Amino acid sequence: MTQSHPRISKAVIPAAGLGTRFLPATKATPKEMLPVVDKPAIQYVVEEAASAGLDDVLMITGRNKRPLEDHFDRNYELESALQKKGDADRLAKVQESSDLATMHYVRQGDPKGLGHAVLCAAPHVGNEPFAVLLGDDLIDPRDPLLKHMVDVQEQYGGSVIALMEVEPEQIHLYGCAAVEATEDGDVVKVTGLVEKPDAADAPSNYAIIGRYVLDPHVFDILRDTEPGRGGEIQLTDALQQLADDEKVGGPVHGVVFKGRRYDTGDRGDYLRAIVRLACEREDLGPEFRTWLRSYVTEEM
């Protein structure tokens, strides 16, 4: 028997990381502002939240992250210049980012891990379920993962995490979930979680990817969660407690995602994401694909 739960309207985007894998590019530029074709990676994430009906977005930032706020703010000087030129197309693109959602910002301060970053959202979120979107994971808009997760949370309550099957030798790069099947084909019940296990110790090859829909009881657990792997407060550890005791915050379910995902936190995957998205653009794709085929044939 399923029941209805409050509709989610708030999204939290942790964006306080230093982006060390992309140095020196991220020495003075937030990694979230690195362009994926002609939009910063973070805009794709906010667009995803807005498309799922989450129009109240809190970004968890840190030092040197002011460009994130500027990007989603109005730029009247630039807009005026484009308007005077009659450049309606570029004007619309500039205004698009500031019209996506109602944006809020809070600084994490000390970088104590994802769990701590999520805990920083407690005063804004209050006592209602909310979504967490990690900026390194871009989900193709043709595969509405977050909307599906919101629907699953409305149906079952509790928390919902996004899962993707990976090769066993890659599971040490992710949080990992032990699961049981449900009547819904792509929905599983999560019975256990472990952060970045060795392949021999992993309970499955279901990796946690960067989308969560969380019950607000997670804040109470995070306040008492001791630093775990890497000396950081791990969100995975808090979710394990929710999975252990359904009376506090409800069950934890997972949505097994088989769609298109782009990992912009890794340099190689970042480049592959740009190539894939550029190839699929109507304005860039035909010419770019022709050049790419020629390059691969001649140079590789």
Side-chain angles (χ1 to χ4, degrees), residues 10 14 24 53-54 87 108 112 138 143 170 188 201 221 242 248 280 285-286:
K10 294 179 179 178
L54 283 62
D87 195 338
Q108 183 177 5
K112 297 180 181 178
L138 304 189
D143 301 311
Q170 293 182 316
V188 294
D201 300 325
I221 295 174
L242 289 175
V248 180
E280 295 174 359

Side-chain angles (χ1 to χ4, degrees), residues 205-223:
N205 66 331
Y206 285 110
I208 305 170
I209 59 175
R211 297 295 181 271
Y212 308 80
V213 177
L214 301 177
D215 183 274
H217 282 91
V218 74
F219 294 131
D220 295 329
I221 295 174
L222 286 170
R223 290 186 184 99

Side-chain angles (χ1 to χ4, degrees), residues 8 129-130 149 152-154 156-162 187-190 211-219 221 235 238-239 242-243 248-255:
I8 297 170
F130 63 104
M149 293 175 66
V152 171
Q153 197 280 337
E154 282 190 324
Y156 291 101
S159 298
V160 182
I161 62 177
V187 178
V188 294
K189 185 175 181 180
V190 176
R211 297 295 181 271
Y212 308 80
V213 177
L214 301 177
D215 183 274
H217 282 91
V218 74
F219 294 131
I221 295 174
L235 179 60
L239 288 170
L242 289 175
V248 180
V252 178
H253 285 86
V255 171

Side-chain angles (χ1 to χ4, degrees), residues 33 40 42-43 66-73 94 97-98:
M33 289 300 296
I42 195 67
Q43 184 169 333
R66 183 59 185 270
L68 294 171
E69 299 183 34
D70 291 340
H71 179 72
F72 292 100
D73 198 0
V94 167
S97 60
S98 58

Side-chain angles (χ1 to χ4, degrees), residues 9-228:
S9 63
K10 294 179 179 178
V12 174
I13 303 177
L18 297 176
T20 53
R21 285 180 288 182
F22 282 83
L23 286 170
T26 51
K27 179 181 178 181
T29 301
K31 67 173 182 176
E32 297 85 4
M33 289 300 296
L34 295 179
V36 180
V37 187
D38 54 4
K39 286 191 297 189
I42 195 67
Q43 184 169 333
Y44 290 88
V45 180
V46 175
E47 288 174 351
E48 181 186 353
S51 295
L54 283 62
D55 56 3
D56 184 322
V57 177
L58 174 68
M59 203 168 289
I60 312 298
T61 67
R63 294 183 67 247
N64 301 324
K65 298 287 185 168
R66 183 59 185 270
L68 294 171
E69 299 183 34
D70 291 340
H71 179 72
F72 292 100
D73 198 0
R74 298 292 298 273
N75 187 327
Y76 293 102
E77 295 84 358
L78 177 58
E79 292 177 25
S80 177
L82 293 172
Q83 196 166 28
K84 288 178 181 178
K85 289 182 179 181
D87 195 338
D89 289 341
R90 286 191 174 88
L91 177 61
K93 290 179 180 179
V94 167
Q95 292 176 332
E96 181 182 12
S97 60
S98 58
D99 294 335
L100 283 171
T102 300
M103 303 295 298
H104 309 270
Y105 304 90
V106 65
R107 286 196 174 192
Q108 183 177 5
D110 295 330
K112 297 180 181 178
L114 177 58
H116 180 260
V118 171
L119 184 56
C120 291
H124 180 79
V125 169
N127 190 31
E128 59 184 273
F130 63 104
V132 174
L133 297 85
L134 303 191
D136 288 344
D137 276 336
L138 304 189
I139 304 297
D140 195 291
R142 293 168 295 184
D143 301 311
L145 169 62
L146 185 59
K147 185 179 184 304
H148 183 31
M149 293 175 66
V150 169
D151 291 341
V152 171
Q153 197 280 337
E154 282 190 324
Q155 182 178 5
Y156 291 101
S159 298
V160 182
I161 62 177
L163 301 173
M164 176 177 279
E165 291 188 80
V166 301
E167 296 297 327
E169 58 269 20
Q170 293 182 316
I171 198 64
H172 71 281
L173 300 172
Y174 300 88
C176 176
V179 303
E180 295 177 351
T182 71
E183 295 179 355
D184 298 322
D186 62 347
V187 178
V188 294
K189 185 175 181 180
V190 176
T191 58
L193 300 111
V194 59
E195 182 67 19
K196 297 181 179 178
D198 293 333
D201 300 325
S204 74
N205 66 331
Y206 285 110
I208 305 170
I209 59 175
R211 297 295 181 271
Y212 308 80
V213 177
L214 301 177
D215 183 274
H217 282 91
V218 74
F219 294 131
D220 295 329
I221 295 174
L222 286 170
R223 290 186 184 99
D224 296 326
T225 299
E226 296 293 328

